Amino acid sequence: MAAEPTFEELFRQTKRSAVHLEMRDGYMRSDQDFVSWSEDPRSVQRLRPPETRPWLSLMKEITSRGVEVRRARIFSEPMSDYLRYEHHLTPSNIAAGEIVRWLPRRRTSDLALPGNDFWLFDDSLVLFLHFTGDGELSPEGDEERSSAPEVVQLCRTAFEAVWERAVPHEEYRPF
């Protein structure tokens, strides 16, 4: 049996779209850039060239061949320090080709949402991401994959409902 494609390989295999729904108020708070930004927001560049960050380089690569990458973030207001950090860095994601929107949690009460953050590749494969309570990747397995039609449909529908209500990055100002 062949090994499952890695996270990076999933992007390289994507032909049309990859959408990501984030629903936590904090991730990977141990990340050194976040720690530096927390001490002095000016210490972390807002706009970074794609070649300086592997993620940005990958996004530039796949969006330049026509794959649409959309990211929607559901968050509590006022925004957590970690989400302020992500907002600070989002211009780099956009410059690399991602389209990013923000949706305050109070505007999601009537939406059916899956229990975990996810990526949906080409409307056919869902990759759920699992985190610990403090936002680190789960040591018990940080991902779960599904191509079950009902799971794909749930995630597609949830993402599109969020996307419809969410505010484009350029228009959202944290408070």
Side-chain angles (χ1 to χ4, degrees), residues 13-169:
Q13 293 171 4
T14 299
K15 301 201 179 347
R16 297 177 317 281
S17 67
V19 300
H20 184 37
L21 183 59
E22 297 178 7
M23 299 181 282
R24 298 180 55 87
D25 285 324
Y27 299 88
M28 312 298 284
R29 291 181 180 120
S30 62
D31 177 68
Q32 189 52 51
D33 276 352
F34 173 64
V35 172
S36 295
W37 180 88
S38 296
E39 293 168 359
D40 178 9
R42 294 168 300 184
S43 69
V44 177
Q45 284 182 293
R46 206 174 164 80
L47 189 57
R48 300 171 173 192
E51 58 276 1
T52 65
R53 305 286 293 181
W55 176 258
L56 299 176
S57 181
L58 178 63
M59 290 302 98
K60 185 100 174 146
E61 174 191 327
I62 70 162
T63 59
S64 68
R65 63 178 171 79
V67 173
E68 181 180 64
V69 178
R70 295 184 292 158
R71 179 188 302 259
R73 293 176 170 141
I74 295 173
F75 62 97
S76 302
E77 288 181 308
M79 195 179 263
S80 71
D81 285 345
Y82 191 88
L83 271 283
R84 286 179 187 284
Y85 163 73
E86 281 195 337
H87 191 275
H88 174 81
L89 293 178
T90 296
S92 294
N93 295 71
I94 292 169
E98 285 188 52
I99 306 165
V100 180
R101 291 188 179 180
W102 300 84
L103 183 61
R105 191 172 315 282
R106 64 182 156 65
R107 295 190 54 217
T108 66
S109 297
D110 62 338
L111 299 180
L113 301 170
N116 293 292
D117 291 11
F118 65 86
W119 280 96
L120 173 59
F121 297 94
D122 285 335
D123 288 329
S124 62
L125 176 69
V126 177
L127 177 90
F128 289 106
L129 302 171
H130 299 287
F131 297 90
T132 62
D134 61 0
E136 301 297 322
L137 288 170
S138 175
E140 297 171 5
D142 59 1
E143 69 175 55
E144 170 187 351
R145 298 173 188 213
S146 178
S147 56
E150 63 277 8
V151 174
V152 169
Q153 180 63 23
L154 168 68
C155 292
R156 179 185 317 121
T157 302
F159 183 85
E160 293 304 333
V162 169
W163 191 256
E164 231 177 80
R165 290 184 187 181
V167 178
H169 174 76

